[in-house]
Amino acid sequence: VYVERLERMSKYKVYITDYDYKDNEIEKSILEPIGAEVIGLQCKDGIGVADQAKDADALMVQYANINRQTIVALPNLKIIARYGVGTDIIDIPAATERGIVCTNVVDYCTDEVADHNISFILMLVRRLPMYVAETKKSAWHWSETGRPVHRFTSLHVGTIGFGRISRNMCRKLRALGFQVGAYDPYVSSQTMEAEQVLPLEFNELISSSDVVVLQCPYNADTHHIIGKDELKSMKDGAILINSSRGKLVDNSALYDALKSGHIAAAGLDDLEDEPAKKFNWSASGNRLFNLENCFITPHVAYYSEESLVEARQNASYNVRAVLLGQEPPNRVG
């Protein structure tokens, strides 16, 4: 009875294209009071969204690709709200042409992603997994990991991208004693210097850093920003960290660099094949899982219980604002 009454009262239809949490209660608590019906789908590849959400006033998107074809097929659509920071899965120009607002969620996982990067760095600089593996073989000596371990104060960390997350990470790394540099064509050297971070050119950062961290958006310019040539230019024994989009790194080239030992280790929170967007993904399809010096987490750098709640609330407030004819807090298009 409640559902039937809600459907009759609904002014707006809000479709959640895909989600990996247990329910939609947070979204409903914010949107139902304005007369919105919240409908959860599980269409994380984006195929079929237009057929399932024909009467959508709003789409809330986690992983689904929302392309021009989908946008054109939804005549009532007013907003596409992304749960995360990146918006590369949304055709923003197509949405803008039709007067559809696009939003994202910023700041909700700044600490989480920064801390995930730092956790990778500390783990691999101190070579903890390698020591653990050797003790299981009854080896018990500081030299058993195959490479030397250096103190933090002698190591250079270079971050590609200097947005909120990178700045948070760099402050913490500096407190631990690391020397930190950054490359970002959209951030001034004065801003970097104010954060006590050394401004570097791209090639300079690649060749001089003991640890290279990718913390930049994915787009046509950053596709395979780390490929065969860049990996070859990195220091022998360098470490690569990527908690951004998987397609920033050429996985085949990285495999070769790790297999050869030129790159000592890698910590990745996503892969080029982006498993979170696949229904039938298997680790057997990516050779990186066969390497003992490559450590992969399942796109969880953004996650804490607190950040997940914040992302869902903020995405819902973006939708609420647009449906009420107001300016959303986090408009990107």
Side-chain angles (χ1 to χ4, degrees), residues 2-76:
Y2 170 78
V3 172
E4 291 177 355
R5 289 182 61 195
L6 179 62
E7 289 177 349
R8 288 197 299 269
M9 294 169 56
S10 295
K11 298 178 183 178
Y12 313 107
K13 292 292 184 69
V14 177
Y15 287 86
I16 301 174
T17 61
D18 59 298
Y19 58 97
D20 56 11
Y21 32 87
K22 65 179 182 179
D23 57 45
N24 306 132
E25 293 308 308
I26 290 175
E27 291 81 358
K28 289 178 179 179
S29 70
I30 294 169
L31 294 169
E32 284 184 352
I34 67 166
E37 181 185 358
V38 179
I39 303 158
L41 308 176
Q42 283 298 0
C43 193
K44 61 184 178 179
D45 58 5
I47 299 172
V49 167
D51 293 329
Q52 297 179 64
K54 291 180 180 179
D55 56 351
D57 294 286
L59 292 181
M60 301 182 71
V61 182
Q62 188 172 25
Y63 297 119
N65 179 44
I66 307 301
N67 58 26
R68 178 177 290 272
Q69 183 178 358
T70 297
I71 291 168
V72 169
L74 300 176
N76 299 332

Side-chain angles (χ1 to χ4, degrees), residues 319-333:
V319 171
R320 179 187 174 104
V322 170
L323 294 182
L324 292 177
Q326 302 167 357
E327 182 65 19
N330 304 120
R331 183 172 187 148
V332 294

Side-chain angles (χ1 to χ4, degrees), residues 69-90:
Q69 183 178 358
T70 297
I71 291 168
V72 169
L74 300 176
N76 299 332
L77 193 60
K78 301 171 181 64
I79 175 173
I80 304 170
R82 172 83 169 88
Y83 277 107
V85 178
T87 55
D88 56 285
I89 59 175
I90 300 170

Side-chain angles (χ1 to χ4, degrees), residues 257-275:
L258 288 166
K259 184 74 173 176
S260 72
H262 174 62
I263 301 301
L268 310 174
D269 189 50
D270 198 9
L271 297 169
E272 191 172 355
D273 43 335
E274 297 184 317

Side-chain angles (χ1 to χ4, degrees), residues 60-228:
M60 301 182 71
V61 182
Q62 188 172 25
Y63 297 119
N65 179 44
I66 307 301
N67 58 26
R68 178 177 290 272
Q69 183 178 358
T70 297
I71 291 168
V72 169
L74 300 176
N76 299 332
L77 193 60
K78 301 171 181 64
I79 175 173
I80 304 170
R82 172 83 169 88
Y83 277 107
V85 178
T87 55
D88 56 285
I89 59 175
I90 300 170
D91 190 333
I92 293 179
T96 302
E97 288 172 15
R98 298 180 67 84
I100 298 166
V101 174
C102 297
T103 64
N104 67 349
V105 177
V106 296
D107 292 332
Y108 80 102
C109 62
T110 301
D111 273 312
E112 283 80 4
V113 179
D115 294 347
H116 201 83
N117 285 336
I118 292 169
S119 297
F120 267 143
I121 292 169
L122 300 186
M123 177 181 81
L124 297 178
V125 164
R126 290 297 305 170
R127 298 186 65 75
L128 299 184
M130 293 75 171
Y131 278 123
V132 169
E134 292 305 314
T135 59
K136 289 180 179 179
K137 300 174 187 176
S138 301
W140 199 266
H141 193 265
W142 55 263
S143 64
E144 294 294 342
T145 75
R147 286 186 179 272
V149 172
H150 297 283
R151 61 180 53 164
F152 297 167
T153 53
S154 69
L155 297 176
H156 295 257
V157 176
T159 176
I160 298 174
F162 199 62
R164 295 177 181 86
I165 292 170
S166 283
R167 296 178 203 195
N168 182 304
M169 175 186 71
C170 289
R171 292 175 198 133
K172 294 170 180 176
L173 288 172
R174 286 184 50 256
L176 291 169
F178 289 97
Q179 301 173 63
V180 185
Y183 164 77
D184 192 321
Y186 303 103
V187 178
S188 70
S189 59
Q190 291 83 359
T191 298
M192 294 181 186
E193 290 167 353
E195 293 278 355
Q196 299 183 54
V197 170
L198 181 65
L200 296 170
E201 294 300 320
F202 180 79
N203 290 335
E204 184 182 13
L205 184 148
I206 291 293
S207 63
S208 66
S209 299
D210 299 288
V211 181
V212 174
V213 181
L214 294 175
Q215 199 56 63
C216 56
Y218 175 73
N219 53 45
D221 292 331
T222 59
H223 179 76
H224 285 184
I225 194 170
I226 298 296
K228 181 179 179 180

